[in-house]
Amino acid sequence: MKKTISILNDPGFEKKDQILDVAEALFSKHGFDGVSIRSLAKQANINIAMVSYYFGSKENLYIAVIERKMVTIRQYLTEAFPNGGNAWDKLYYIIDRYVDRMVDNRSFMNIVFTEVASENREHIVDFLSKRLADNQEAFGGLIVEGIKSGHFREVDPQLAIMSIIGPLKLYVSNPFMVKKMMNENTIEGCYSSVHRDRMKAHLKDLMTRFLKP
Amino acid sequence: MKKTISILNDPGFEKKDQILDVAEALFSKHGFDGVSIRSLAKQANINIAMVSYYFGSKENLYIAVIERKMVTIRQYLTEAFPNGGNAWDKLYYIIDRYVDRMVDNRSFMNIVFTEVASENREHIVDFLSKRLADNQEAFGGLIVEGIKSGHFREVDPQLAIMSIIGPLKLYVSNPFMVKKMMNENTIEGCYSSVHRDRMKAHLKDLMTRFLKP
DNA sequence: GTCTATATATGGATAGAC
DNA sequence: GTCTATCCATATATAGAC
């Protein structure tokens, strides 16, 4: 209890998170090279020197942004499936959760996907790629299981995974395209529960038709 | 004939294209801000001053990269559909062509998608978005027609489009993920005719199951 | 912890010689 | 057309005062 309060009141903790929040948003919009510490400091309402003070360097800040979110992300994965239920139930369940996770963390997912698609910081690319691979394993294992149990027809699991992640990635990472497609004026409107549910329903429908024997 | 030879022999023409080739590759890998004119000049084997001389500025070079490719890209679109054939034939035809186009121009498509997903150069984003919208219209019109003619069931055309473009974009823009998924060691291997055909077959299969009444 | 001032590097762009 | 040398702006990072 004491510790919680002390963390919450720790001004360093607050400021660090404040910097991380702004950094995540900016890196997501403009990429690592498109963000200067100066503009970041201005928008986060902190002094330029504070970034070095708290994180040491711009790249360390970038890594800190990634690592902070990784904790949250991993919590999703380690949560157990609902007990019982066949391959279909599990697939629907994981699609729902995956959409929510991607939409809720779309700034972060933008950073991840942009970074992995680039050839800039090799060690970060490797790190992120392994994490993404874990996610895909979750889907892949599910599909292989479903094929074995006879609930799904024999498809290529890799292509099945791409068919789920692909449209979803498009949805969370291309605001302009999505605004047009969703007939929305604001970006926030695109990610309202209406469209989110529409996306979930679509992916489940798409996969149902694709996987049913 | 004379003109062709004169263009081919024009050292300016050669050098310009040489710069554009290298620029396209580098912008695709590292993004606009991740490429310096110095590194570009080194890899293109030209003097730093030549970029200014031929293009005026870095941003103009970037625009030139985009405009050069737009000519090629548009040629694909203006080519007519094969005569006759129902909605299914047209869909399969356009999927084949779209995969080829995206794979052949994947460096360029990376630039386009990265740019559109970012919030950096508004006028370029607007320009590219409109071009992308044209592409999507080609798909969209096809699907609406197919629904009207009764060949396709009543689906949301927008979501259908996302289901084609999404996986394809993942395929062409995430080398690392694709290497793993395609079980290939080299990036070139991922885009061999084997995998390309596999992608075409998959998208056609996916859409067939999704669209059939 | 916070700020100012500054060291140092890098990048885009160009003037001017050839 | 091509190159060198240089200007100028901007960037990261830090030293040192408070």
Side-chain angles (χ1 to χ4, degrees):
Chain A
M1 186 64 176
K2 192 172 175 296
K3 192 159 195 178
T4 309
I5 288 173
S6 100
I7 286 175
L8 287 174
N9 287 347
D10 178 3
F13 178 79
E14 252 181 41
K15 191 148 290 184
K16 259 184 121 162
D17 247 33
Q18 184 185 346
I19 296 172
L20 286 168
D21 286 340
V22 176
E24 185 180 308
L26 289 180
F27 284 140
S28 163
K29 283 182 194 162
H30 310 294
F32 181 79
D33 296 305
V35 177
S36 70
I37 293 185
R38 276 177 167 72
S39 65
L40 181 106
K42 202 179 227 170
Q43 295 198 47
N45 248 328
I46 49 124
N47 187 276
I48 322 168
M50 288 300 95
V51 171
S52 287
Y53 178 76
Y54 283 116
F55 300 97
S57 70
K58 184 183 172 184
E59 184 158 322
N60 280 352
L61 167 62
Y62 189 65
I63 292 171
V65 167
I66 292 170
E67 280 179 342
R68 176 180 68 154
K69 218 57 175 232
M70 275 299 171
V71 177
T72 316
I73 298 285
R74 201 173 313 192
Q75 282 169 355
Y76 277 89
L77 280 178
T78 51
E79 280 175 29
F81 277 121
N83 281 336
N86 61 22
W88 288 108
D89 297 323
K90 287 182 181 171
L91 179 70
Y92 296 154
Y93 176 80
I94 205 173
I95 286 177
D96 279 340
R97 291 186 62 76
Y98 201 64
V99 171
D100 280 331
R101 178 156 60 104
M102 291 272 277
V103 173
D104 287 338
N105 301 292
R106 58 186 185 278
S107 289
F108 175 66
M109 292 316 293
N110 263 335
I111 295 176
V112 172
F113 278 116
T114 305
E115 192 62 35
V116 171
S118 85
E119 301 183 16
N120 288 328
R121 285 154 289 276
E122 204 182 336
H123 57 291
I124 299 184
V125 171
D126 283 352
F127 172 73
L128 290 177
S129 298
K130 285 194 184 88
R131 291 268 143 266
L132 283 178
D134 285 351
N135 289 6
Q136 288 158 24
E137 282 307 304
F139 271 118
L142 202 66
I143 288 164
V144 171
E145 261 184 49
I147 294 172
K148 272 188 196 153
S149 68
H151 288 99
F152 303 156
R153 73 185 175 101
E154 285 213 15
V155 298
D156 183 329
Q158 304 297 347
L159 291 175
I161 296 171
M162 286 178 83
S163 306
I164 299 173
I165 298 179
L168 188 49
K169 188 186 162 218
L170 211 59
Y171 176 49
V172 299
S173 72
N174 280 56
F176 194 99
M177 194 186 297
V178 169
K179 258 157 70 179
K180 198 180 149 60
M181 285 187 158
M182 299 298 187
N183 231 342
E184 288 282 347
N185 291 323
T186 65
I187 290 182
E188 287 315 309
C190 296
Y191 302 107
S192 67
S193 62
V194 178
H195 292 301
R196 196 189 285 226
D197 289 346
R198 193 175 146 212
M199 198 69 205
K200 287 177 187 173
H202 169 65
L203 288 178
K204 285 187 271 191
D205 180 36
L206 182 68
M207 282 300 110
T208 302
R209 289 170 192 278
F210 180 64
L211 289 172
K212 77 177 170 199
Chain B
M1 186 66 177
K2 191 172 175 297
K3 192 158 194 179
T4 309
I5 288 174
S6 99
I7 286 174
L8 287 175
N9 287 348
D10 178 2
F13 179 79
E14 252 181 42
K15 192 147 291 182
K16 259 184 121 162
D17 247 33
Q18 185 184 345
I19 296 172
L20 286 168
D21 286 340
V22 175
E24 184 181 309
L26 288 181
F27 285 141
S28 163
K29 283 181 195 164
H30 310 294
F32 181 79
D33 296 305
V35 177
S36 71
I37 292 186
R38 280 175 167 76
S39 66
L40 181 106
K42 204 180 226 171
Q43 295 199 46
N45 247 329
I46 50 122
N47 187 277
I48 322 168
M50 290 299 95
V51 171
S52 289
Y53 177 75
Y54 282 117
F55 301 96
S57 70
K58 184 184 174 184
E59 184 158 322
N60 280 351
L61 166 62
Y62 189 66
I63 292 172
V65 167
I66 291 170
E67 280 179 342
R68 177 179 68 154
K69 218 57 174 229
M70 275 299 171
V71 177
T72 317
I73 298 286
R74 201 172 313 191
Q75 282 169 355
Y76 277 89
L77 280 179
T78 51
E79 280 175 29
F81 277 122
N83 281 336
N86 62 22
W88 288 109
D89 297 322
K90 286 182 182 171
L91 179 70
Y92 296 153
Y93 177 80
I94 207 173
I95 285 177
D96 279 339
R97 290 185 63 75
Y98 200 65
V99 171
D100 280 331
R101 178 157 59 104
M102 291 272 277
V103 173
D104 288 336
N105 301 293
R106 59 187 184 279
S107 289
F108 174 66
M109 292 315 295
N110 262 335
I111 295 176
V112 171
F113 278 115
T114 306
E115 191 62 35
V116 171
S118 86
E119 301 183 16
N120 288 328
R121 287 154 288 276
E122 203 182 339
H123 57 292
I124 301 183
V125 171
D126 283 351
F127 172 72
L128 290 177
S129 298
K130 285 196 183 86
R131 292 268 143 265
L132 283 179
D134 287 350
N135 288 7
Q136 289 159 23
E137 282 308 303
F139 272 118
L142 202 66
I143 287 163
V144 170
E145 261 183 49
I147 294 172
K148 271 189 195 152
S149 67
H151 288 99
F152 304 157
R153 73 184 175 101
E154 284 213 16
V155 299
D156 183 329
Q158 304 297 348
L159 292 175
I161 296 171
M162 287 179 85
S163 306
I164 299 174
I165 298 179
L168 188 50
K169 188 187 162 217
L170 211 60
Y171 176 49
V172 298
S173 71
N174 280 57
F176 194 100
M177 193 186 297
V178 170
K179 258 157 71 179
K180 198 181 148 60
M181 285 190 158
M182 299 297 187
N183 231 343
E184 290 281 346
N185 291 323
T186 66
I187 289 182
E188 287 316 308
C190 296
Y191 301 108
S192 68
S193 60
V194 177
H195 291 303
R196 196 188 285 226
D197 289 346
R198 194 175 146 212
M199 198 70 204
K200 287 177 187 172
H202 168 64
L203 288 177
K204 285 187 271 191
D205 179 37
L206 182 69
M207 281 301 109
T208 302
R209 289 169 192 278
F210 180 64
L211 289 172
K212 77 179 171 197

